Amino acid sequence: MAGNQGMEQLIPIVNKLQDAFTQLGVSMGLDLPQIAVVGGQSAGKSSVLENFVGRDFLPRGSGIVTRRPLILQLINSVSEYGEFLHCKGHKFVDFDLIRKEIEDDTDRITGINKGISPVPINLRVYSPHVLNLTLIDLPGITKVPVGDQPVDIEQQIHEMIMTYIKKDNCLILAVTPANSDLANSDALKLAKEVDPEGVRTIGVITKLDLMDDGTDAREILENKLLPLRRGYIGVVNRSQKDIDGRKDIRAALAAERKFFLGHPAYRHIAERMGTPFLQRILNQQLTNHIRDTLPALRDKLQRQMLSMEKEVEEYKHFRPDDPSRKTKAMLQMIQQLQSDFERSIEGSGSALVNTAELSGGARINRLFHERFPFEIVKMEFDEKELRKEIAFAIRNIHGIRVGLFTPDMAFEAIVKKQISRLKEPSLKCVDLVVNELCNVVRKCTEKMSRYPRLRDQADGVITAHIREREQRTKDQIMALVDFELAYMNTNHEDFIGFANAQQNSESSSKRKLGNQVIRKGYMAIQNLGFMKAGSRDYWFVLTSETLSWFKDDEEKDKKYMLPLDGLKIRDIEQGFMSRRHTFALFNPDQRNVYKDSKQLELSCETQEEVDSWKASFLRAGVYPEKKVDLTNGDDDQTASEGTSSLDPQLERQVETIRNLVDSYMKIITKTIRDLVPKIIMHLMINNSKDFINGELLACLYSTGDQNSMMEESPEEAAKREEMLRMYHACKEALRIIGDVSTATVSTPVPPPVKDDWLRTAPDSPRVSPPSPGGPPRRGVSSRVPPPPPSTRSAPSVPNRPPPGPPPRPGSGIGLPPPLIPQ
């Protein structure tokens, strides 16, 4: 077998790079170009491809033989065999069987009567004589359908070819037989469409040995007639007789060489003709591509190596069982944990701050000042229910007697009941803070994943301490509520007293904030007009008196302004298909809130946003809806209504107690809202911080063996080995890239040529240059060919006469006009 010597020169260089990148565990990224062979039927495309591989393996015959694209992947390997994608795992050692499988698979898809298909055949050829490369054998360009071919066969083949050659990394071999008209070459026209600059196109002239006597293609091969930027290369493939006679490719290459050296028209350019030269040209393109790719690869490797140098320096003298190393690592981990916990709770302005969401101390702050006040307001008494309870308490205290004065005991009984209800939201606040603290600890200990036992131990010790402090904090809060229940301080400076209890305090219940802005942000309106089936986001501005919404945050296009007087908030159940969380503003008197809507439904993406908006509405005096207990019988309701309507004295006493309870509960609620966060902060958060800074290390030493705690995880050991391997592989790859840069020679792209002959419209009248394979000039035909384009540096005769008389000299000036046959 004749190997491809040109490619073999590149194989060692590319293999060195491939080995280095294989050690890195990454793709080499050279992205070697594909080589697509384009031409008409029976132009010799498949023969050109076989010359690259050095083996006979492609179907042969007349007419359209290649009826499906063949994507041929050449892979450098020690052994030589072929493998089809549709027969994965089956190795074809006999290349005659590869040809038969190509024919059989083509017939399976396209039928046996010349049909075509764009479905490619993928064939891999493993050989020690090839470079990792992709070659594409495409169906020949045809215009007239035969057999089972569709009527639009030309358009289908055109689209099939364009799919491959339009890629920037595809090198186009435009194959044209020498015995046809080059000016009408469909291969060159297709190449011009996708490669107008001519950087990727090489003209290949085949069948030079089949030209008529007395004709040659010298001026085409010299790139004088119909020039291309990269010029033309002539090749002589084996004839069908040679193929049938099993002529070896090595012998065929020798015969090709002999042809060019022996032909008088090609003798002077024989070194630039033939399959070996075409291979060298393609190899040079591959070399240029590799050299162009190397700078980016070098930069990438250098950045990767610099990023690893610090850790590699630490690993160079690494001993896993060194006790001093374990002690040092443990102290560093604990110090890092202390720093991270402190920064997470107290906040930090460093670059490590979380810019994606609230975390740590910020979430706890929100619990203190938004969630906790909202939970307290949610449990506040319902006005109607409260008055009924006061009336029952007054009547039960008076008993059978008719009371002339408002009883103090009724006030105390109602107030104690309301104070007791403050325990639930206060303890819930503790639970929420504990969850946040545990999340902070978990995130801080994640950096200890290198030592999983130390991480688990530290997490367990800190969490156990937080749980212990949780119970003490709850006990303290329960004691705080008990303190308030133990003694009613009716002499408090903020308490209105019995003297002022008759005055209506409803008007002063809402703090006058003026019309200051409380909050701004986006929410979606769920139920307005045509949007009932969907939603739309608006920019909302909440003040102490109104809720306005605008088209966007520029606040220019105001859609509506809703007064907040008398409005309440209620929760809306989340829809089955909805991911948004919804709440509604409504009027308890069943009046329309906006136009025909009894309520205004607003939604946010998260429950946290909803809770935050609810807390903002509280500041504006919009309170949650109270759940009405409907278990009381009609007798109680009738008695209550009868009392308020039939006993004016009892009604005045209820109003007095009501105002007293409201005044005193404001004092208690203000105290609870102030002290509960302080208790949590002192007994739990600050104490946990002090424990981590002062006692955690001692607890870890006392709870387990240091050596077992500081054992590395298998993942960390593998990571260390991988880091060292990557570092050394990077160095080796950089060294090889340096060798490739100095060992390969790059050639510049040829300058552009005047190739407007390819831009001529198909339907424009013109006289085509003569076919290199046409009849001889003298004594055979009366047709006089037109002269070559005047843009050439020197005129040439299209058809060279046979050896003998010297060719007609040309002056280059004042060429005669073309003669048209009569």
Side-chain angles (χ1 to χ4, degrees):
M1 129 129 205
N4 184 340
Q5 297 179 359
M7 285 193 178
E8 287 173 355
Q9 295 175 3
L10 267 182
I11 288 172
I13 297 175
V14 178
N15 280 349
K16 287 181 182 179
L17 271 179
Q18 186 67 59
D19 291 342
F21 280 91
T22 300
Q23 292 179 25
L24 283 174
V26 296
S27 173
M28 185 166 65
L30 285 179
D31 191 23
L32 292 178
Q34 297 176 338
I35 299 174
V37 185
V38 182
Q41 290 184 19
S42 302
K45 303 183 303 301
S46 298
S47 298
V48 172
L49 278 184
E50 285 184 335
N51 289 340
F52 286 110
V53 181
R55 283 279 199 170
D56 293 327
F57 67 96
L58 293 176
R60 297 288 185 153
S62 60
I64 181 167
V65 177
T66 305
R67 295 182 285 135
R68 291 174 59 189
L70 175 67
I71 299 178
L72 175 62
Q73 293 177 277
L74 303 182
I75 301 174
N76 183 253
S77 175
V78 177
S79 56
E80 188 173 27
Y81 62 92
E83 185 179 61
F84 288 93
L85 186 63
H86 63 270
C87 300
K88 207 162 187 180
H90 183 198
K91 296 182 179 180
F92 292 81
V93 181
D94 187 347
F95 279 73
D96 289 336
L97 295 179
I98 291 180
R99 180 190 299 111
K100 186 176 186 306
E101 180 59 31
I102 293 175
E103 294 172 346
D104 293 344
D105 194 55
T106 299
D107 291 341
R108 279 194 291 268
I109 300 296
T110 64
I112 60 175
N113 198 13
K114 305 299 182 183
I116 67 167
S117 170
V119 179
I121 300 174
N122 289 81
L123 170 63
R124 291 182 177 181
V125 173
Y126 297 81
S127 171
H129 306 290
V130 299
L131 182 65
N132 293 344
L133 195 63
T134 300
L135 304 169
I136 304 172
D137 189 17
L138 294 167
I141 302 170
T142 185
K143 297 182 182 297
V144 180
V146 295
D148 292 338
Q149 294 177 355
V151 293
D152 60 341
I153 180 72
E154 181 182 6
Q155 181 64 24
Q156 288 192 22
I157 293 180
H158 180 274
E159 293 175 356
M160 190 188 308
I161 293 174
M162 294 295 286
T163 301
Y164 295 94
I165 66 174
K166 68 183 180 182
K167 298 177 182 176
D168 291 336
N169 69 332
C170 181
L171 204 60
I172 305 170
L173 295 188
V175 180
T176 304
N179 53 4
S180 67
D181 189 354
L182 184 67
N184 292 324
S185 170
D186 292 320
L188 290 174
K189 290 180 180 178
L190 286 177
K192 189 65 178 177
E193 289 182 30
V194 296
D195 182 31
E197 300 298 324
V199 177
R200 300 188 283 120
T201 305
I202 297 177
V204 179
I205 305 297
T206 61
K207 302 186 180 182
L208 290 168
D209 55 331
L210 301 181
M211 295 182 68
D212 294 337
D213 293 338
T215 61
D216 59 58
R218 171 178 174 175
E219 292 195 354
I220 292 176
L221 296 177
E222 289 179 346
N223 209 29
K224 293 180 180 179
L225 180 66
L226 311 179
L228 287 178
R229 186 167 186 173
R230 291 193 178 275
Y232 298 88
I233 298 174
V235 297
V236 177
N237 297 323
R238 292 174 299 167
S239 65
Q240 190 63 42
K241 179 180 178 181
D242 294 335
I243 296 171
D244 294 339
R246 315 292 290 179
K247 185 176 182 178
D248 185 68
I249 290 183
R250 184 187 299 273
L253 293 177
E256 179 188 53
R257 174 73 172 165
K258 182 179 178 181
F259 171 82
F260 284 114
L261 290 175
H263 199 292
Y266 310 132
R267 188 181 299 143
H268 65 294
I269 55 173
E271 297 302 322
R272 294 187 285 111
M273 295 293 111
T275 301
F277 180 73
L278 176 59
Q279 292 171 348
R280 287 198 296 272
I281 290 295
L282 294 178
N283 291 338
Q284 189 60 60
Q285 300 308 312
L286 301 182
T287 306
N288 292 349
H289 184 85
I290 292 172
R291 286 177 59 89
D292 293 342
T293 311
L294 291 185
L297 282 175
R298 183 187 294 109
D299 292 343
K300 179 181 177 181
L301 290 173
Q302 286 176 342
R303 288 194 300 269
Q304 190 173 359
M305 195 167 71
L306 287 174
S307 66
M308 293 187 292
E309 276 186 348
K310 184 177 180 181
E311 293 184 60
V312 168
E313 189 65 30
E314 177 186 347
Y315 291 151
K316 281 182 179 178
H317 309 290
F318 185 82
R319 288 187 301 158
D321 298 328
D322 186 4
S324 62
R325 184 198 62 80
K326 291 185 176 182
T327 302
K328 179 182 178 181
M330 184 174 182
L331 292 175
Q332 288 177 342
M333 291 290 178
I334 299 303
Q335 288 174 357
Q336 183 69 42
L337 173 62
Q338 294 168 352
S339 173
D340 290 344
F341 188 82
E342 176 92 15
R343 184 169 55 245
S344 182
I345 296 298
E346 300 296 336
S348 170
S350 68
L352 300 177
V353 66
N354 188 346
T355 58
E357 61 179 356
L358 293 180
S359 61
R363 293 179 67 90
I364 295 175
N365 177 278
R366 193 158 120 180
L367 290 176
F368 285 161
H369 301 295
E370 291 185 7
R371 185 68 181 273
F372 180 49
F374 180 71
E375 294 293 334
I376 290 179
V377 171
K378 273 205 311 186
M379 51 75 59
E380 278 186 351
F381 38 78
D382 179 76
E383 184 68 26
K384 184 177 180 181
E385 188 68 22
L386 178 63
R387 288 182 175 274
K388 187 168 67 172
E389 291 178 0
I390 294 174
F392 284 143
I394 293 175
R395 296 178 66 180
N396 288 332
I397 289 173
H398 286 156
I400 198 171
R401 297 180 298 277
V402 177
L404 300 177
F405 304 100
T406 304
D408 296 348
M409 294 177 63
F411 162 75
E412 187 170 333
I414 297 299
V415 166
K416 284 186 176 181
K417 183 177 180 180
Q418 298 300 323
I419 293 176
S420 297
R421 296 176 62 191
L422 292 172
K423 289 182 180 180
E424 181 182 349
S426 301
L427 297 180
K428 184 176 181 179
C429 182
V430 176
D431 293 334
L432 294 173
V433 172
V434 168
N435 289 337
E436 288 299 332
L437 277 181
C438 292
N439 289 335
V440 170
V441 172
R442 191 175 303 110
K443 289 181 180 179
C444 292
T445 55
E446 283 177 357
K447 295 184 179 180
M448 295 181 175
S449 57
R450 180 175 175 181
Y451 305 101
R453 294 187 180 180
L454 175 64
R455 178 195 59 202
D456 296 341
Q457 196 70 32
D459 193 348
V461 170
I462 298 174
T463 302
H465 180 79
I466 291 176
R467 293 298 179 184
E468 176 191 346
R469 303 306 301 179
E470 173 189 8
Q471 191 56 47
R472 294 198 52 181
T473 303
K474 288 183 176 180
D475 292 342
Q476 186 67 29
I477 290 176
M478 295 289 287
L480 175 63
V481 176
D482 291 340
F483 296 158
E484 299 294 346
L485 291 172
Y487 178 65
M488 302 291 117
N489 182 16
T490 55
N491 288 327
H492 193 281
E493 58 184 3
D494 294 333
F495 186 59
I496 62 173
F498 278 87
N500 299 322
Q502 298 294 338
Q503 300 178 4
N504 186 6
S505 61
E506 181 65 25
S507 61
S508 62
S509 62
K510 178 176 174 181
R511 181 170 51 176
K512 299 301 181 181
L513 299 174
N515 201 28
Q516 71 180 37
V517 175
I518 297 176
R519 183 187 178 100
K520 296 182 178 182
Y522 277 105
M523 284 191 293
I525 299 180
Q526 300 288 115
N527 66 326
L528 287 186
F530 65 88
M531 290 178 289
K532 288 183 179 180
S535 64
R536 182 175 177 182
D537 287 339
Y538 288 101
W539 178 260
F540 283 81
V541 177
L542 175 64
T543 68
S544 57
E545 297 179 357
T546 62
L547 175 67
S548 305
W549 56 89
F550 301 81
K551 181 180 179 181
D552 50 40
D553 56 4
E554 294 182 1
E555 299 184 15
K556 293 180 180 179
D557 185 6
K558 180 183 284 190
K559 297 299 181 181
Y560 195 71
M561 184 172 69
L562 179 67
L564 299 178
D565 289 340
L567 297 185
K568 296 285 185 180
I569 290 181
R570 68 158 61 110
D571 290 323
I572 302 293
E573 290 187 6
Q574 189 173 356
F576 176 70
M577 297 297 292
S578 174
R579 296 183 179 180
R580 300 181 69 89
H581 301 266
T582 309
F583 65 98
L585 298 177
F586 72 101
N587 195 309
D589 297 334
Q590 297 299 313
R591 293 198 298 267
N592 291 342
V593 174
Y594 172 68
K595 293 186 177 179
D596 298 332
S597 301
K598 297 291 184 183
Q599 62 183 18
L600 179 65
E601 297 180 8
L602 306 173
S603 68
C604 302
E605 291 186 355
T606 64
Q607 186 61 44
E608 291 182 355
E609 290 184 78
V610 170
D611 293 341
S612 181
W613 271 103
K614 286 180 180 179
S616 299
F617 276 108
L618 291 180
R619 294 185 56 198
V622 181
Y623 295 103
E625 175 186 23
K626 305 302 175 184
K627 302 298 182 183
V628 179
D629 186 4
L630 300 177
T631 58
N632 290 333
D634 295 339
D635 295 340
D636 291 342
Q637 186 175 358
T638 304
S640 175
E641 293 174 356
T643 301
S644 60
S645 59
L646 300 178
D647 191 348
Q649 182 178 356
L650 178 59
E651 188 173 348
R652 286 194 298 270
Q653 291 177 349
V654 169
E655 183 65 23
T656 300
I657 298 295
R658 166 68 184 83
N659 291 337
L660 291 173
V661 170
D662 185 56
S663 175
Y664 195 79
M665 285 306 299
K666 284 184 178 179
I667 298 172
I668 300 301
T669 302
K670 183 178 180 181
T671 303
I672 294 295
R673 287 178 57 177
D674 180 58
L675 290 181
V676 167
K678 292 179 178 178
I679 292 172
I680 296 174
M681 196 72 194
H682 174 67
L683 292 180
M684 189 157 57
I685 298 177
N686 288 343
N687 185 275
S688 298
K689 191 164 54 177
D690 294 340
F691 173 78
I692 292 174
N693 290 334
E695 302 178 34
L696 175 60
L697 190 60
C699 290
L700 290 176
Y701 272 114
S702 63
T703 54
D705 178 29
Q706 178 191 357
N707 289 330
S708 63
M709 268 196 301
M710 296 305 294
E711 285 184 2
E712 278 188 326
S713 64
E715 293 81 6
E716 185 62 28
K719 177 184 175 184
R720 184 176 63 253
E721 296 299 326
E722 179 72 7
M723 180 74 68
L724 292 173
R725 185 185 64 79
M726 290 279 286
Y727 180 78
H728 293 302
C730 273
K731 291 182 66 176
E732 178 65 14
L734 286 171
R735 184 188 66 78
I736 295 174
I737 286 176
D739 293 344
V740 173
S741 298
T742 57
T744 57
V745 179
S746 178
T747 57
V749 177
V753 296
K754 183 82 171 168
D755 56 359
D756 53 353
W757 60 276
L758 280 174
R759 299 189 181 93
T760 306
D763 55 349
S764 62
R766 66 176 175 87
V767 179
S768 300
S771 167
R777 287 185 64 254
R778 296 183 179 180
V780 177
S781 172
S782 62
R783 183 174 66 91
V784 180
S790 60
T791 54
R792 293 188 290 105
S793 58
S796 302
V797 180
N799 294 328
R800 185 177 178 86
R808 185 185 64 178
S811 62
I813 302 175
L815 293 174
L819 298 180
I820 307 301
Q822 298 300 323

